[in-house]
Amino acid sequence: MISVKNLKKSFDNNPILKGISCDFEKGKTSLIIGQTGSGKTVFLKCLLGLHKYEEGEIIFDNNNLESMNDLEKMTLKSNIGTVFQGSALFDSMNIEENVMFPLKMFKEMPFDEMQDRVNIVLKRVELLNSNKKMPSEASGGMQKRVAIARAIVNEPKYLFCDEPNSGLDPKTAIVIDNLINEITQEQNITTIINSHDMNSVMEIGEKIVFLKNGNLEWVGSKKDIFKTKNKAVTDFVYSSELYKKVRKMYLKS
Amino acid sequence: MTFLHNIGLYIIMLQKMFQKPTKWKVMKELILKDTEDTVINSLGIISFVSFFIGGVITIQLALSTTGSFYPNYLVGYATRETIILEFAPTIISIIMAGKVGSFITSSIGSMRVTEQIDALEVMGINSINYLIFPKVIALLLYPFLISIAMFLGILGGMGACVYGGYSTMSDFIEGIQTDFIPFHMIYAFIKTFVFAFILATVPSFHGYYMKGGALEVGKASTTSFIWTCVTIIIFNFLITQMLLG
């Protein structure tokens, strides 16, 4: 579980996060949604330790990030899997080497064992027989799968995904969303996804955190989002005619 | 202010390069790969440039030292001194700033743009140690490259001189052996080690701290080349003044 308390962050005296507090439960897929510039990416980067925050607390299973020493932070980071928006695969390595990378860096195990583990993970993301392909030879969807495989190969406790389905066609996007959701439940990990894709919200949003102008505007589930009367949320989520109709139909039924 | 800020940032980068080292097993592979990328892959161009520039230097020296006033061995002597003292260590380093320096900046810069450096940091890896330290170690082999440049430069000079009919082989060899000061070799290799460190770290700095997209990677490569050249030329002057002045 990850608890965030009163998180504040600004750039050049311009406040981006204005005191956000919320919890992200284990075994659940939580989505952070909001318009561009709402502070989603900054929030995620604060959780990942890529941005230093001015105020507040981030607690990973009763361990406060601020009070951790370097060794504890390193141990924590080895328990975090991250899927970046652009996949961030190492382009000098093939798919197998990319997935094996965290194992090489953090685990002391024979090469054969590492290879077995990589194959298991690649099979899980349905990418077997692509081991020797370079990232540049893989499609967008394949690259996302590799990124997910690399993120989970070390059996992390926490999984962070920054817009994992951006740039993908709707069908592949849903496949990637479901894959993340299934892995979260199988491995009982705490997953946080940064997204502004409404398909993701409707598909896997067990917990949805809506940010607006650096503030936490609304928290709920994908069922709650149909019933909410919060104008900021409804304006954002039901901005398209299709979703407006879907909502009407849901409320009628 | 920006200049001072960048110098401070560069020093902090050097400091971080020695902290939280990457696992030796992984580091060994990175060093071998960087040795191939920076040293081995530069052998061809360095050999080609050295051989022909050596020839050109000799022809120009021979043409400007004709007449009975000059001893016959002078061309060989002057070629040796020019190549060992200045051409091989300094001019080759400037060529390397273009070849290896821009490669280092663009490869690290692309990693920054595509969030690969963030991916390393998130995993708890010291990205500066992981990316820059192996390049510094790989470029410890740079004196080997400069030795080849010295040898081929003199060989090219000898070929141009003898086959161009400017001097005889024996006069040229006599010139090469005349008044040889071994300290000049030490001076040249001290310079080479300093330039190797500059070649590894200055382009890395420009790549690592770049901001923006693909266009900025190109701009960073150009800036990196300029600053690597400027730093090499300044250190060339300082070392020459300290060791030979």
Side-chain angles (χ1 to χ4, degrees):
Chain A
M1 181 170 158
I2 301 171
S3 295
V4 180
K5 289 176 186 166
N6 195 30
L7 195 71
K8 286 183 184 171
K9 167 76 187 163
S10 59
F11 290 111
D12 301 327
N13 295 325
N14 178 27
I16 305 295
L17 303 178
K18 300 167 185 169
I20 293 176
S21 302
C22 58
D23 294 332
F24 300 98
E25 290 86 12
K26 206 175 175 184
K28 262 190 183 180
T29 306
S30 306
L31 278 103
I32 304 167
I33 60 167
Q35 274 182 303
T36 308
S38 56
K40 299 189 303 284
T41 302
V42 175
F43 182 65
L44 199 73
K45 287 195 171 177
C46 285
L47 295 182
L48 285 168
L50 290 172
H51 283 329
K52 281 190 177 166
Y53 45 92
E54 285 108 36
E55 253 183 73
E57 288 180 339
I58 299 174
I59 299 159
F60 288 84
D61 290 319
N62 301 324
N63 297 308
N64 193 326
L65 188 63
E66 273 301 288
S67 54
M68 284 182 196
N69 60 32
D70 283 350
L71 191 71
E72 286 168 332
K73 275 185 186 164
M74 241 181 108
T75 314
L76 172 74
K77 284 184 173 182
S78 67
N79 277 318
I80 293 177
T82 314
V83 178
F84 284 88
Q85 193 174 354
S87 300
L89 300 179
F90 302 119
D91 41 25
S92 58
M93 301 177 192
N94 63 29
I95 287 178
E96 183 181 274
E97 288 165 340
N98 260 290
V99 179
M100 200 182 278
F101 185 77
L103 295 176
K104 268 189 177 175
M105 294 303 290
F106 300 109
K107 300 271 179 194
E108 292 295 339
M109 54 166 82
F111 184 79
D112 289 346
E113 229 173 278
M114 277 199 257
Q115 198 143 32
D116 289 344
R117 175 79 190 132
V118 168
N119 286 333
I120 290 168
V121 176
L122 284 176
K123 194 179 170 190
R124 180 65 195 86
V125 297
E126 292 163 30
L127 264 184
L128 218 51
N129 304 323
S130 303
N131 297 35
K132 301 297 171 197
K133 271 191 179 171
M134 296 304 283
S136 57
E137 296 166 334
S139 65
M142 272 173 89
Q143 288 186 11
K144 293 282 162 145
R145 286 168 197 264
V146 179
I148 294 169
R150 186 178 69 183
I152 61 167
V153 73
N154 239 351
E155 294 173 326
K157 285 183 182 171
Y158 316 99
L159 181 63
F160 294 92
C161 309
D162 188 14
E163 300 190 20
N165 46 23
S166 68
L168 299 179
D169 63 85
K171 199 177 169 189
T172 313
I174 293 292
V175 171
I176 295 292
D177 282 338
N178 285 329
L179 183 63
I180 294 170
N181 198 30
E182 283 161 22
I183 288 166
T184 302
Q185 284 163 6
E186 277 166 23
Q187 302 188 6
N188 196 25
I189 53 184
T190 309
T191 298
I192 302 176
I193 300 177
N194 212 344
S195 181
H196 43 58
D197 181 9
M198 284 313 110
N199 286 335
S200 303
V201 174
M202 302 304 182
E203 192 75 20
I204 56 165
E206 288 177 89
K207 178 169 188 167
I208 299 159
V209 174
F210 180 75
L211 299 188
K212 192 186 174 193
N213 299 328
N215 289 306
L216 183 88
E217 182 75 26
W218 182 85
V219 181
S221 70
K222 61 182 176 185
K223 283 178 186 163
D224 301 330
I225 216 159
F226 283 111
K227 299 169 200 161
T228 182
K229 293 208 165 51
N230 186 310
K231 199 176 175 312
V233 178
T234 52
D235 282 353
F236 176 73
V237 177
Y238 305 106
S239 53
S240 78
E241 285 303 315
L242 177 70
Y243 282 118
K244 277 177 192 157
K245 281 179 187 165
V246 171
R247 189 186 187 211
K248 263 184 194 170
M249 282 164 67
Y250 180 87
L251 292 175
K252 265 185 192 172
S253 67
Chain B
M1 273 310 272
T2 315
F3 177 70
L4 286 177
H5 171 81
N6 283 342
I7 287 181
L9 208 56
Y10 175 74
I11 293 166
I12 291 169
M13 183 195 83
L14 295 183
Q15 205 184 346
K16 280 187 183 168
M17 193 168 73
F18 298 102
Q19 291 168 354
K20 243 173 56 177
T22 306
K23 249 168 124 176
W24 173 239
K25 219 167 127 185
V26 178
M27 183 56 78
K28 204 168 60 183
E29 285 174 23
L30 291 172
I31 291 171
L32 289 174
K33 195 185 167 299
D34 282 333
T35 305
E36 191 191 343
D37 287 341
T38 57
V39 180
I40 310 291
N41 288 348
S42 303
L43 267 172
I45 183 76
I46 295 305
S47 304
F48 176 79
V49 169
S50 304
F51 188 80
F52 284 98
I53 298 284
V56 171
I57 287 171
T58 307
I59 292 168
Q60 288 175 353
L61 283 169
L63 290 175
S64 54
T65 56
T66 48
S68 56
F69 180 73
Y70 299 106
N72 291 338
Y73 62 80
L74 184 66
V75 178
Y77 171 80
T79 302
R80 184 201 73 205
E81 289 294 286
T82 312
I83 286 174
I84 289 178
L85 291 176
E86 211 49 42
F87 170 72
T90 312
I91 305 301
I92 291 292
S93 295
I94 287 171
I95 293 168
M96 286 288 279
K99 192 203 172 277
V100 172
S102 54
F103 166 73
I104 292 174
T105 307
S106 55
S107 59
I108 297 180
S110 306
M111 288 184 76
R112 169 66 73 198
V113 171
T114 54
E115 295 180 306
Q116 291 175 49
I117 293 179
D118 284 347
L120 288 171
E121 287 289 325
V122 161
M123 286 181 208
I125 295 162
N126 177 358
S127 58
I128 292 181
N129 176 271
Y130 180 86
L131 294 171
I132 305 171
F133 186 72
K135 289 176 177 53
V136 173
I137 300 299
L139 278 164
L140 285 178
L141 279 177
Y142 186 52
F144 161 72
L145 211 60
I146 296 301
S147 309
I148 289 174
M150 286 173 179
F151 173 75
L152 288 174
I154 293 173
L155 194 73
M158 191 161 74
C161 188
V162 175
Y163 293 105
Y166 300 102
S167 170
T168 62
M169 174 83 90
S170 58
D171 282 341
F172 192 86
I173 291 175
E174 189 193 344
I176 290 173
Q177 292 170 338
T178 302
D179 287 338
F180 177 68
I181 302 167
F183 181 71
H184 284 180
M185 289 297 281
I186 297 171
Y187 156 77
F189 282 114
I190 289 173
K191 278 209 302 193
T192 304
F193 273 113
V194 174
F195 296 164
F197 189 77
I198 293 168
L199 276 173
T201 54
V202 174
S204 298
F205 170 80
H206 282 95
Y208 190 85
Y209 290 104
M210 66 142 294
K211 282 178 186 148
L215 187 68
E216 281 73 16
V217 175
K219 282 182 187 166
S221 296
T222 312
T223 317
S224 140
F225 173 69
I226 293 166
W227 278 107
T228 310
C229 289
V230 168
T231 317
I232 285 174
I233 287 164
I234 290 171
F235 273 87
N236 186 33
F237 174 77
L238 293 175
I239 294 168
T240 307
Q241 181 61 34
M242 278 193 288
L243 297 180
L244 298 183

